[in-house]
Amino acid sequence: MIDMIANFRRAIERARDNGYFIKDISFMSFPLGCCGDTCDLLAQFLQDVGIRTYYISGTYASGNFHAVRSHAWLETEDGTVIDITGDQFKDLSEFGYFNYSVYVGLKTEFHNLFEVRVSDISLNQGIRSLGYGCQSRLLELYDIICDQL
């Protein structure tokens, strides 16, 4: 499974580097600031090969209102964490310089820094189940990424 996930991450990087995301404000700077969308895209890819995942979104608040950060990742039913955008925190000491571009495994201290409420966990049901406002954009990105695999 990890090879398949790493290939998906590399496909996103190739698409970015080849200019396919030039019109997409989020993915132009991948992996910065696009963990939620990336989770939706990866969840669709995993769903297509029969792997069911949950979308996890957490918030980190250091006590400073202006320093609130969020992060999203996937988890399988057995609790395996799948995170392909954690390296966006690699330069930040408060996040332990977490530098994994592809992480698959047990929940780490990094992931435990984020407060996750029950309402922040949802079963992924595919891009088409998302709101109409983001479906077409994510489906287009998904096709671009899959073409890079």
Side-chain angles (χ1 to χ4, degrees):
M1 178 170 72
I2 192 165
D3 290 337
M4 180 175 36
I5 293 166
N7 285 338
F8 193 81
R9 162 74 190 230
R10 284 191 294 274
I12 294 172
E13 292 170 338
R14 274 192 297 278
R16 179 203 58 208
D17 295 346
N18 290 327
Y20 290 111
F21 299 148
I22 198 77
K23 294 180 183 177
D24 192 281
I25 193 99
S26 292
F27 276 82
M28 281 177 20
S29 300
F30 180 84
L32 299 173
C34 54
C35 51
D37 287 343
T38 301
C39 283
D40 289 331
L41 295 164
L42 179 58
Q44 180 67 57
F45 179 72
L46 293 173
Q47 180 180 322
D48 289 349
V49 295
I51 299 172
R52 189 166 138 155
T53 60
Y54 292 85
Y55 180 100
I56 312 295
S57 176
T59 304
Y60 172 83
S62 65
N64 178 349
F65 175 76
H66 299 289
V68 173
R69 303 258 184 156
S70 63
H71 187 49
W73 61 89
L74 302 177
E75 288 187 18
T76 61
E77 290 184 314
D78 69 358
T80 299
V81 171
I82 303 169
D83 187 346
I84 63 170
T85 60
D87 57 330
Q88 67 183 300
F89 296 92
K90 67 184 176 192
D91 297 323
L92 302 172
S93 62
E94 64 267 35
F95 296 100
Y97 302 106
F98 192 79
N99 65 353
Y100 289 89
S101 59
V102 176
Y103 179 81
V104 178
L106 299 174
K107 191 175 272 187
T108 66
E109 288 182 32
F110 166 74
H111 294 96
N112 284 329
L113 290 171
F114 296 90
E115 178 184 350
V116 177
R117 299 175 308 226
V118 172
S119 61
D120 297 328
I121 302 170
S122 59
L123 176 64
N124 286 304
Q125 297 184 22
I127 293 171
R128 294 190 193 289
S129 72
L130 301 173
Y132 289 110
C134 63
Q135 268 185 27
S136 61
R137 177 180 156 266
L138 289 177
L139 286 169
E140 182 179 338
L141 290 171
Y142 187 69
D143 288 341
I144 289 168
I145 294 163
C146 287
D147 285 346
Q148 300 297 306
L149 288 170

